[in-house]
Amino acid sequence: MKIGLLGFGVVGRGVYEIAASREDMQVRKVLCLEDISLSDAEAVKDFAEILNDNDIDTVVEAMGGLHPSHEFAVAALKAGKNYVTSNKALVCTYYDELVPLAEQMGVKLRCTAAVGGGIGWLSELERSRRAQTIEQVGGIMNGTCNYILDHMTRLGMDYAQALKQAQSLGYAEANPATDVEGIDTWHKLILSANVAFGVTFDKESIPVAGIAGITAEDVANFAAHGLVCKLMSKARRTDGGFDAYVQPTLVPQGSPEAAVPLNYNLITFLGKTSERMSFYGQGAGRYPTAYNVVEDLIDVAAGKGFYAPYGPVTKAGNAQTMRYYVRGGWTEPAEEVWGSAVITAPVSVARMHAWRKANPQAFIAGVEA
């Protein structure tokens, strides 16, 4: 396998190093805007040099972002090159374009490292859905948010302190909005649900709320009631279709999710036959993520493409009801008062997220039954 590598940052360098130790693959060219010197690969600054190289049969994208990643992916697939990516935003946003295009061109597309970093989550969903109906997917999918919430809960830090420490360790970007507003988790949930259920979710039908507004007072309220806050994702089958959402969620102390420390992930599916199956590990990092990219390359070499057939565009209904912890502006019925916050009467997920959209200063967290 001859590889054109797009990006030479944390993940890209890891892929290059692992591939160099193998005899069945070789990175021939690396697209990098910085000046780098490699002993066994050519560094280029123009994607066309990879696209037009007939010896390169597979492109690996480790750049992130939507543009020019999208344009590169389409061009590579149309040129008859396999495409492996760790870019969850790309595959989630352009799912209904890239998956059919790869099939049309007779090439392979894989993206295992896009969800869970080093966890073989999507590949296990692929195997499981062949033998049973997947009823639900989700869990803790963002290591940055989990690190912040873990340090607020265990060490008593406030949000700003925990975020600053996460940034100093490289777990959070200088602008952490994609993580703390839940967008990264949202992309990962959508991609997971598409694979699990064999559909293409309408992204705008899946609401998302992040952790950016959480305070030390909130965390103290949760602890006083035996609860821990985690940023949780969930997509599940219902009698009428599907529910799917991302939001801070209060889970009981002692539950598996409550115990997930630092930047780790815990992702779960519920199968009709297998029931609960959970996957735990580092959700980011050079070698865990690069390892899964190389696993995809091995699968591509063996002729294995995308995980699930492309399905119809589907909207999430979000009629599920639950109680919510709300701090800031709630004037509707409430069952309890916790300091300056309330616990609402049961309300649908769709209605609560619509209310929060109109009241962005408020902090909400679902209360697990």
Side-chain angles (χ1 to χ4, degrees):
M1 174 181 284
K2 307 300 183 185
I3 299 166
L5 176 60
L6 310 184
F8 204 64
V10 173
V11 176
R13 185 182 290 271
V15 172
Y16 171 80
E17 292 177 2
I18 296 174
S21 69
R22 301 181 59 89
E23 296 182 355
D24 56 348
M25 59 186 66
Q26 179 189 12
V27 176
R28 295 289 298 272
K29 292 181 179 178
V30 178
L31 180 68
C32 182
L33 298 182
E34 299 177 1
D35 292 325
I36 58 173
S37 178
L38 303 171
S39 61
D40 56 353
E42 180 184 355
V44 302
K45 296 185 178 181
D46 185 351
F47 174 63
E49 295 193 45
I50 291 175
L51 186 67
N52 297 327
D53 188 331
N54 292 329
D55 288 337
I56 292 176
D57 53 73
T58 302
V59 173
V60 173
E61 185 260 307
M63 301 185 306
L66 291 181
H67 304 287
S69 297
H70 171 237
E71 291 77 12
F72 289 171
V74 171
L77 293 172
K78 287 184 175 179
K81 299 182 188 295
N82 304 308
Y83 205 80
V84 173
T85 179
S86 59
N87 188 339
K88 82 283 294 182
L90 170 73
V91 184
C92 170
T93 301
Y94 296 105
Y95 188 90
D96 56 353
E97 176 186 11
L98 298 179
V99 176
L101 178 59
E103 183 175 359
Q104 175 189 337
M105 299 306 301
V107 294
K108 308 305 179 187
L109 169 69
R110 289 188 74 84
C111 57
T112 301
V115 184
I119 304 170
W121 163 248
L122 291 181
S123 55
E124 186 58 32
L125 274 183
E126 170 189 34
R127 294 179 69 249
S128 184
R129 73 182 303 276
R130 295 179 306 183
Q132 64 176 336
T133 298
I134 305 296
E135 302 287 357
Q136 179 176 306
V137 296
I140 299 170
M141 294 180 163
N142 183 272
T144 300
C145 289
N146 198 69
Y147 183 93
I148 292 170
L149 294 172
D150 178 58
H151 275 55
M152 292 181 72
T153 300
R154 288 193 303 108
L155 303 181
M157 290 186 178
D158 64 25
Y159 174 81
Q161 288 175 309
L163 172 59
K164 185 175 181 179
Q165 184 160 321
Q167 289 170 322
S168 71
L169 293 172
Y171 296 149
E173 301 290 340
N175 180 356
T178 298
D179 289 318
V180 300
E181 297 294 348
I183 304 304
D184 176 80
T185 301
W186 182 67
H187 285 143
K188 292 172 179 175
L189 176 67
I190 293 167
L191 181 51
S192 300
N194 286 349
V195 171
F197 305 138
V199 301
T200 301
F201 269 104
D202 175 354
K203 297 182 293 297
E204 301 308 315
S205 72
I206 299 179
V208 55
I211 67 166
I214 195 170
T215 67
E217 177 197 353
D218 297 323
V219 174
N221 282 338
F222 308 151
H225 291 82
L227 299 170
V228 173
C229 185
K230 296 290 185 178
L231 183 66
M232 300 288 289
S233 60
K234 181 180 288 188
R236 64 171 193 160
R237 295 182 187 271
T238 67
D239 291 340
F242 299 94
D243 284 343
Y245 52 85
V246 174
Q247 63 187 19
T249 302
L250 305 185
V251 299
Q253 293 174 352
S255 66
E257 287 76 12
V260 177
L262 303 173
N263 66 326
Y264 281 73
N265 288 184
L266 180 64
I267 314 176
T268 297
F269 71 74
L270 299 181
K272 193 168 186 178
T273 304
S274 69
E275 299 185 352
R276 177 177 174 134
M277 300 287 286
S278 294
F279 300 78
Y280 173 82
Q282 291 194 54
R286 170 172 292 167
Y287 295 112
T289 305
Y291 153 82
N292 248 341
V293 173
V294 173
E295 286 275 17
D296 275 351
L297 291 171
I298 295 169
D299 281 340
V300 166
K304 292 182 65 176
F306 203 72
Y307 317 87
Y310 171 71
V313 176
T314 302
K315 290 188 176 183
N318 296 318
Q320 176 186 357
T321 62
M322 68 178 73
R323 299 187 306 155
Y324 278 87
Y325 173 97
V326 179
R327 177 179 41 76
W330 185 258
T331 59
E332 299 185 42
E335 294 184 349
E336 301 178 49
V337 177
W338 292 8
S340 61
V342 299
I343 300 296
T344 71
V347 59
S348 74
V349 171
R351 183 165 167 238
M352 176 53 74
H353 280 262
W355 177 86
R356 180 185 174 273
K357 191 172 182 180
N359 297 270
Q361 81 292 343
F363 177 78
I364 67 168
V367 182
E368 291 241 313

